[in-house]
Structure formats: C-alpha cells, structure tokens
Amino acid sequence: MRILVKADMAYRFDVPSEVLLQIEAARTPIQTVMREALTISPGLALHRKDDLYTGERRVMFAAQGLVEIAYEAEVARSDTVAPLAGLTQMAVHVLPAEVLPYLNASYYCPSIRFQSFVLREFGNLRGGDAAAAILSWIAQNIDYRACVSDSQTTALDTFVDRAGVCRDFAHLAISLCRAVGIPARAVSAFACELDPPDMHAVAELYLDGSWRLIDPTGKAPLAGLVRVATGRDAADIAFMSIYGQGELVRQSFAAEPLEARAAA
Amino acid sequence: MRILVKADMAYRFDVPSEVLLQIEAARTPIQTVMREALTISPGLALHRKDDLYTGERRVMFAAQGLVEIAYEAEVARSDTVAPLAGLTQMAVHVLPAEVLPYLNASYYCPSIRFQSFVLREFGNLRGGDAAAAILSWIAQNIDYRACVSDSQTTALDTFVDRAGVCRDFAHLAISLCRAVGIPARAVSAFACELDPPDMHAVAELYLDGSWRLIDPTGKAPLAGLVRVATGRDAADIAFMSIYGQGELVRQSFAAEPLEARAAA
Amino acid sequence: MRILVKADMAYRFDVPSEVLLQIEAARTPIQTVMREALTISPGLALHRKDDLYTGERRVMFAAQGLVEIAYEAEVARSDTVAPLAGLTQMAVHVLPAEVLPYLNASYYCPSIRFQSFVLREFGNLRGGDAAAAILSWIAQNIDYRACVSDSQTTALDTFVDRAGVCRDFAHLAISLCRAVGIPARAVSAFACELDPPDMHAVAELYLDGSWRLIDPTGKAPLAGLVRVATGRDAADIAFMSIYGQGELVRQSFAAEPLEARAAA
Amino acid sequence: MRILVKADMAYRFDVPSEVLLQIEAARTPIQTVMREALTISPGLALHRKDDLYTGERRVMFAAQGLVEIAYEAEVARSDTVAPLAGLTQMAVHVLPAEVLPYLNASYYCPSIRFQSFVLREFGNLRGGDAAAAILSWIAQNIDYRACVSDSQTTALDTFVDRAGVCRDFAHLAISLCRAVGIPARAVSAFACELDPPDMHAVAELYLDGSWRLIDPTGKAPLAGLVRVATGRDAADIAFMSIYGQGELVRQSFAAEPLEARAAA
C-alpha cells in the first residue's frame, strides 16, 4: 500500500529555543520511503539525530522567530496485520535484550500501579488473548474526548477519568499490557482516515516474536498507518519537543492512500 | 585502580519464575574486567542479554526452588574524576541522539514536575555549576535514612519526605538535573568503602561531551565504583528483577581496592 | 435489638504521648446505652471531648508506659433499615446546613476526582437508585483483602488497586456517592457477625431527609451495628489517634446480640 | 475599625443549577455587622444555611439564566492582632472538642504527607514559634503567581511547584501547621488593601486558647480583614459553589476602611 503523508507546521519562538522534530517517516523493513521532502524556513542548520538501528528519523535545530515546516513523503508499506487473539506471550527470558525495557513502568505508563487490577480482570489470560481483552476493556470503558487531559496526564489519570485522546488511550493500553507482562511501546504515526486528521498516537506489543501494531482508539485502520517514532511513552515520540518557548501558529497533518487517489 | 568485587545471593522461588540478573561488571573503555566468575546453583540454562553497545551485561534464567548466585571479578578502572563546577551544559541540538531520551521524565524521575522549582532555585546556573548546586541542595535538604521509602517511591515523594536511601537520592538528583536540561541517567555499581556494604545506586550527567559520574549520597568515593548497569531509573538497573515470586534468603555485595590489600 | 459490645486494648507508649479514644457507643435517638463501663489502667486524668450535638463520645488522655483499656456496654437499637432503591436524592438547596460539608472532597475521599467516572457509569441514576448501583459496582469490582492498603491509602488508590479492607470500601463508597451529589460520611461501629471480629468502618448517606447506614463491604448486618463515631473519613473516626508514639500490645473488639445469648 | 465591603457578581446558568453563596460577613463576638444588603436578581427563593454556632452566613438558591448578586455591608471589627512568636501550643488533650478535626488531613491540606518535612525543618520549635517559622519559610520559598494552580491543586502540588495564589498559600500553611500539631483552618475574607482586590483566602491557627488569624501571602493587613466563612480547606469556604453549571459574567470584591474615607 502506498500512502502520501503531509505535515504543515508554523511556530513562533520569541526566545532562542531548540527544537526536536520527529515527523519524518521511519525507514524500516516493512516501510519504504519512496520520495520525501522536508523544508524548514528560514534555512536553519539542521542536526540529524536519526536512529540507525530502528530507522527512525529525527532532526534538531536552534530556532528564533517564525519557523515554517513542510514535510511530504510517499511511503510504501507491506505490513500484514494479524489478529491479536492466539498470539503467544513469550517467556521473559527469551525476549531480545532491547525489548526488556518496554516491560518497565515509564512516566506516562505507570504499569506497576495496575498489577492488582490486571490480575483481577485479565488474570486467566495470556499473550494475544490478554491484549485483545485489554483493548476490548478500553473500548468499553474509556471515551474518546478532548479537553479532559493535558501534557501531564498519565495512564492512571485516564483510568480514573475514563476519557482522553489518542495518546491517553495509548498510554493506558501500554500500561495494562506491561502489567500483564507483555512488552509495549508508544508509536507516533501518520494515519489515513483519522477524523479529524492529526498525528496519531498508537502502540506496539511484542508478541510471538515481533512487534504488533495496535490502535487502542480504534479510530484509524492499521494498514493506513505510517510509522514515525517509537519510545517508552509520549515523551519519547512527541512530534515537536521545544527546549525554550514556542507558540503554535498553525499545524496540520494528513495521510491518504495513493492507490485510492489514482483509482478515482 | 584495581578493585575486587563480590556478590553472594540466595533466593527461593516457590512458583516457577523468571529472573533478570544485573550484577556483572560492565566492560567499557575505562573499565576492564581482568577476570570474573559467575556461578549459579543449581545449573540453569542462562540466557545472555548483554548490551554490546554499552558493554553492560545481563543474564536471565527460569528459576524454581532455591537458587544461589556467586559472582566475583577483578576490575581495572582508569577513570579520572573531574569536578563538576565549570563543566559546559551542551545545547540540546548538539547532543548525541542516544543521549536525548535521558532528558525525558521517567517513572521514578518525574522531571517535568520540578521545572518550576529548578527555575526558582537554580535558574541562574547552567551546566556543571547547576549540577553542583543541585548536589549541594540535596546534601543539605535530604537525609539518608532507611525505611522511609519503598519500591514505588518516586523522586517527588523523596522531595516531600526529605529522606531516603541511595536510589532515592539518585532519582531526585536525576530529576532535578533533567529539569534544568542536563541529560541524567541511573547507574548501579559496586562501591568501595560504602557503609554498610551494598549494591550502590548513583547517577551520571552528560556534561561537556561525556557522561560524568556522581554519587548524590556522597557515601562512596567515585574512584572506587565498579559500574554494572545504566538506565533511565531504578526499574532499568535493578540487580534482580523477578517475573513471578521470589523470597530473599541472603544477599551481600562487597568491593575493595586490590592495591590496598596487596600493601597490607 | 439489644447488643453487648466489648473492647479490650493495650498499648505501650515509650515517649509521653496523647491519645484520643473513640470506642464508646454513641447516644442517639435510635441508640440507647443501657449500661456501660470504660476502664483505663493505670488511672489517668480523662478529658471528655463528647459531641453533645451528635451524641458521639470521645475521651483523651496523656499516656506513658503500658495503658490497658477495657470497654463494655449494653446498647438498645431501634433502627429500621430501609432499602436504598427508590429513596429521593434531595436538592442541595434544601439540605440542612450541617449536611453540606459531607458533599465536599476529603483527604481519603477525593470525590472530585470521580466526577467523570460517575457521570459515565451512573449518570442516568439519582438518589437511592444511584447509591444502590454504586454499592453493586463496588461489590463486583473491589475485593476484600488485607495488606494491600495502609494508613495513607485513599479511595483513588482503592479504585485502581481494586482491593482493600472495610475502611477502603467505605472511602470509595463515600467518594462515589459525593461525586453524584449524595452527602456521605464515615461511621465507625461495633459489628455483630463480623468475621474476623473488629471495629468496623461503614458509611452513611443522606437520602430522603435522613442519614441511611450502608456497609459497602456487605460483611455485617446493618441491624447489628452499634455506632461509635462519625466524620468526613477515617481520620475523624479512628478508634485511637495517637499524638506521639504508641505500640500495639493487644486489641480486640466484639459485639453480639443479647437476645441470642439469652435464648441459648 | 469600620470597614465597608462590597461584592458584585453575575453568573449565567444555562442548565438548572443550585448555588451555595458564602459572601456575607460573619457575625462574631469581634465582628459586628452594622448594616448590610444582599440583593439577588431576579428574585429567587433563598434558603438560609447560616451556622448559628459560628455566626457564619450562607444562602442557597436554585438558578437558571442570568443571576446578578450585589452585597454591601458595613462591619465593625475589634480584633487585636498579637504576634505569633511565643504563643503556646496547647496539649492536644486540652483542646476543645470542636477544634480537634482541624488537626486532621483534608483534601487540599494533606498534612500527613508533611510530617517528615516539618520534623526536619521545624522539629525544635513549638506553638507560635513554629507557626512563625512556617510563615517565614513560605515567604522565602513560595512565589505569589497566578496560573500555576487550579481548582484541584493541593498543598503538595504547591510545595513542589513553589508558586500559587492566596488559597494555595493558605493550604500550604494549614498543612504544615497541622503537621506540627497546631490546629489550622481556612478562612475566606474581604480584605482591605489587597492588590488586585478579590475575595481573600487566609487561615487561622489555634494557639494559646484561641484562633489566631494569619495571612500566609502577607498581602493584606490582618486588621483589615472581614471574615466570611471558615472550614477545613477551600472546598468549605468557596464564595460560590455551583451544583450544575455556571458561567462567570463578571465579579468583583472590594473592602475599604470607613474611617479613612471619612477623613479624606
């Protein structure tokens, strides 16, 4: 599947600030970037912080005044999405070393606070069955609603408030999965059919020997996701981290399947 | 400096459990393991989870019943410890990519909660001067005391309680340093002269182009530390993580300089 | 119904301390103390802190060394227990002035944190129907289990942990009822048939013009409760508050219906 | 001293709501209301919830649509303000019964979280000396600043954030005083010379046999305060509690000494 993704952003920096930008499509075995263009105006010295191991792309720059950012890419994805149910939960001692940290609590995903809950609610399930039950519990118990959460909201808050946006859903799903012993991490992605269009926050679970993409909100088809960044929680995958002060001027993200457009 | 380190541990596992053991001396440019022996009884299938990039060593095994663990190593360290004051705080955009995650909040080190405090208390300082002021603040305001904290205690709790043990000191120092924009991470280490002897939790700050070791408790000389594991906080560097249930039978850690013994 | 209640307590105070004791049966329109005896050894100067308005009884003393406390009372209760379902939730503006504070959040009952949850879960219910649904939700979702909570555990913790003891059940029920607009308060009581025997923590809801007793644990018949103290949460109704330091030597509480014994 | 106080408020209630209004000057032995007028438009059925014991005045009404509230009173106060230093901290067992609840933690004043801190910081002080040291610590460590706190901010947050508004200062002072064993409560008051003019939140400490007024912000002279409501924390003393939904249209509070005006 070929997907066209676009980002258009403008921020004003009244004091000298530094910016970490994570909006470029990752280059992975199942995601090929056919062409892309990143334009930052005015021209600034760009410092690449790409992760060669994961293929994730990051760029930093020092900013002052108005900065406009445009990104466009055509991405080919060959992912096949398997149902979670039935997938094996691997014994911890056979997990790859780099997967182990994703079992630990992180700031937004305080999984150790949910161990009693998951034992009670999902204690008889393992692996993909437990993950599917967790996603079903979230779908039944958490409402998608803006303005109930902010940048400090953790999965514990969302568990109590029973509402949030995509990053809150991702944090709660990650927390509950880690609590049952399934490695889980946060993923940012362009998303086809997301309404309203935005950068999406989803998650990945390590089951049966590989990372499996899930969308705890159920708002976007998995096959239409273009992966950008991966991390322990929202802090690691923010599309823009500002060290200093920045003010949003405008911002939009879009993704659409190219075949569909070609066929039209 | 040559240091002899020893660990002697015994745990009983009443149900089948998995264990992640992080007690072996890391192999780094400034730390050479001259000889070592890790003995686990009974003989169990060991799964190495070493991190080839950092030289940190980890081993996992499935356990049931009584498990005894003995480790002994002779380590040569060539570290030179520089004073913090005056060390440059690097601009974020020139930090190496792998250092960036250590600016983010983690579960035990909720640095974003301290941004208002550090601005007020250390706002006119940068880099090594800020770090030195933070360590001085901790020395004056936090008491070393057992039994006020437990495995869920975060740096926020320690900031309020004003007391804790080495991991609490490390978490608070890491949190405050990240809040001022200095990358900071947790380190576990064998420690000469630590009283009582134990596995020690210290921290590292990324200043002036390299990681600088600090001991926020001030209880052990930096030159006598033998590094074991590194991570975002205590969850990553625990000397033993048990997936299942384990009961402590006995446990001791020791470190002593070999020259001193030879001279005696 | 006549009930015989007994308390037997011994504490050791190594440093001079002060003690607030709330173990005596309250004197209310529906609860008559037929006879009672409170014996504190050694003989100490007792300072009565009775609340003449509510009929609740409290005594304070300064203590040092071993203090033994014995209390025995025969109490006649004429309470008739009505089912909650159908009871009217009164408009706030017609509530008696002294009832209003029981709508507010307290330390152990942070009701404002649950407003989103109760709207989602019980939003279409009011009054006794809402209260009955809350008790049913607690019965299905919270386990009675010792050692998961301590003296700092709030209803928010219990909501997440899904387990606790009687005071945790009371705090959660009170929090959820206040969040739906029903005044709710904590009550300590001797309890017949409670297993194991102990001082019990229950709650009261203000519905249809009067306070209605509930036992969120469902472990003791309401008709067998002998009320002691009332307050916003556990802090107000503790059977013993120690200002200083005290060590438990022994402690037991018992309640039994006198008719049953007479008939035997 | 004679003080003229005025309140002018307008709120719009889009759904039928109930309102608890606490803006009228209390009638106490040291505060005499010479004349007053409360006007609520349109004319609504008013339900008085006055506390005859404390002399505090509260009124409730059901509201829909635009409601305008005007209050004006001339109040004579005979308070003499004594310095805190030297005032005796009473033994708990001689405190009046109605004072005891003000030693307990409340939602916004979680005093039990500060016991370790106060022991370390003020452990060698008692009574008025401890209270004076607490106020001095707050003056040195907390900044008066709007927009860092909201309606859910507790004293623990303020302790960490090191900034807040008058209610945050009051909550922190109350929490720390309760932690050292001094009964403390929240007080709302009209305040002369407060800049900008507003309803003020201050506190009272029970020392040497009576309640002593303090202003932890130091922003208004104590002699110019006209007491309105008293309670465990902000939840009890809010000038307007809305059960339903209300939108602020306008609101102002003012207080000025009458002598000064007469002399001008």
Side-chain angles (χ1 to χ4, degrees), chain D residues 159-229:
Chain D
F159 182 79
V160 175
D161 292 339
R162 299 296 170 108
V165 294
C166 61
R167 69 179 246 158
D168 304 309
F169 277 75
H171 286 156
L172 184 52
I174 291 166
S175 300
L176 297 179
C177 287
R178 289 181 189 165
V180 299
I182 300 172
R185 63 187 186 185
V187 175
S188 61
F190 288 93
C192 296
E193 299 179 37
L194 187 61
D195 181 26
D198 204 346
M199 184 66 85
H200 203 27
V202 293
E204 276 186 329
L205 310 180
Y206 199 83
L207 288 169
D208 212 6
S210 64
W211 287 106
R212 314 282 173 162
L213 206 53
I214 58 169
D215 178 0
T217 68
K219 287 174 69 79
L222 296 178
L225 296 179
V226 171
R227 167 196 303 272
V228 174

Side-chain angles (χ1 to χ4, degrees), chain C residues 107-108 149-154 167-168 171 234-235, chain D residues 112:
Chain C
Y107 179 70
Y108 293 110
S149 55
D150 61 27
S151 67
Q152 294 208 7
T153 301
T154 71
R167 71 179 244 156
D168 303 309
H171 286 155
Chain D
I112 57 173

Side-chain angles (χ1 to χ4, degrees), chain C:
Chain C
M1 184 177 183
R2 293 212 172 186
I3 301 172
L4 178 70
V5 302
K6 289 183 188 175
D8 174 60
M9 306 165 76
Y11 278 73
R12 193 184 331 273
F13 301 92
D14 289 334
V15 297
S17 299
E18 297 177 272
V19 176
L20 171 62
L21 193 69
Q22 298 188 102
I23 60 167
E24 298 162 275
R27 294 175 176 176
T28 76
I30 62 154
Q31 181 169 295
T32 305
V33 177
M34 310 303 290
R35 62 172 184 82
E36 68 176 344
L38 173 67
T39 313
I40 298 179
S41 313
L44 298 167
L46 300 185
H47 303 259
R48 302 272 354 152
K49 306 291 171 189
D50 299 338
D51 184 326
L52 301 178
Y53 180 75
T54 64
E56 290 166 20
R57 328 266 301 294
R58 305 186 286 185
V59 68
M60 287 205 74
F61 51 85
Q64 189 160 14
L66 180 73
V67 175
E68 297 186 286
I69 299 162
Y71 177 70
E72 183 170 324
E74 189 181 323
V75 179
R77 286 186 79 253
S78 61
D79 199 9
T80 56
V81 177
L84 292 174
L87 289 177
T88 306
Q89 180 167 338
M90 298 171 75
V92 179
H93 65 269
V94 299
L95 292 173
E98 70 271 17
V99 170
L100 291 174
Y102 295 106
L103 283 170
N104 293 343
S106 61
Y107 179 70
Y108 293 110
C109 303
S111 43
I112 58 173
R113 293 297 309 273
F114 294 106
Q115 276 169 340
S116 174
F117 172 71
V118 299
L119 188 67
R120 189 184 197 285
E121 195 82 20
F122 313 109
N124 58 333
L125 299 173
R126 299 270 298 161
D129 295 341
I134 285 169
L135 289 181
S136 170
W137 187 91
I138 288 175
Q140 285 162 34
N141 287 281
I142 311 292
D143 297 326
Y144 190 95
R145 196 161 72 236
C147 302
V148 291
S149 55
D150 61 27
S151 67
Q152 294 208 7
T153 301
T154 71
L156 195 72
D157 298 317
T158 302
F159 182 79
V160 174
D161 292 339
R162 300 297 170 103
V165 294
C166 60
R167 71 179 244 156
D168 303 309
F169 276 74
H171 286 155
L172 184 52
I174 290 166
S175 300
L176 297 179
C177 286
R178 287 181 190 166
V180 300
I182 301 171
R185 63 187 188 186
V187 175
S188 61
F190 288 93
C192 296
E193 300 180 38
L194 187 62
D195 181 26
D198 203 346
M199 185 67 84
H200 202 28
V202 293
E204 275 186 329
L205 311 180
Y206 198 82
L207 287 169
D208 212 5
S210 65
W211 287 106
R212 314 283 173 160
L213 207 53
I214 59 169
D215 178 359
T217 68
K219 287 174 69 80
L222 295 178
L225 296 179
V226 171
R227 167 196 302 271
V228 175
T230 302
R232 296 209 190 175
D233 57 30
D236 289 345
I237 64 168
F239 56 79
M240 182 179 274
S241 303
I242 298 171
Y243 303 91
Q245 270 178 43
E247 192 190 341
L248 170 67
V249 175
R250 70 171 189 275
Q251 179 171 283
S252 70
F253 300 97
E256 57 178 309
L258 278 176
E259 289 81 355
R261 201 168 64 162

Side-chain angles (χ1 to χ4, degrees), chain D residues 3-87:
Chain D
I3 300 173
L4 179 69
V5 302
K6 289 182 188 174
D8 174 59
M9 306 166 74
Y11 278 74
R12 194 185 328 274
F13 301 92
D14 289 334
V15 297
S17 298
E18 297 177 90
V19 176
L20 171 62
L21 193 69
Q22 297 189 103
I23 60 166
E24 298 162 274
R27 295 174 176 178
T28 76
I30 63 153
Q31 181 169 295
T32 305
V33 177
M34 309 304 289
R35 62 170 184 85
E36 69 176 344
L38 173 67
T39 313
I40 297 179
S41 313
L44 298 168
L46 300 185
H47 303 259
R48 302 273 353 152
K49 306 291 171 189
D50 299 339
D51 184 325
L52 302 177
Y53 180 75
T54 64
E56 290 167 20
R57 328 265 300 294
R58 304 186 286 185
V59 66
M60 287 204 73
F61 50 85
Q64 188 160 14
L66 180 73
V67 175
E68 297 187 287
I69 300 163
Y71 178 70
E72 183 170 322
E74 190 181 320
V75 179
R77 288 186 77 252
S78 61
D79 199 8
T80 56
V81 177
L84 291 174
L87 289 177

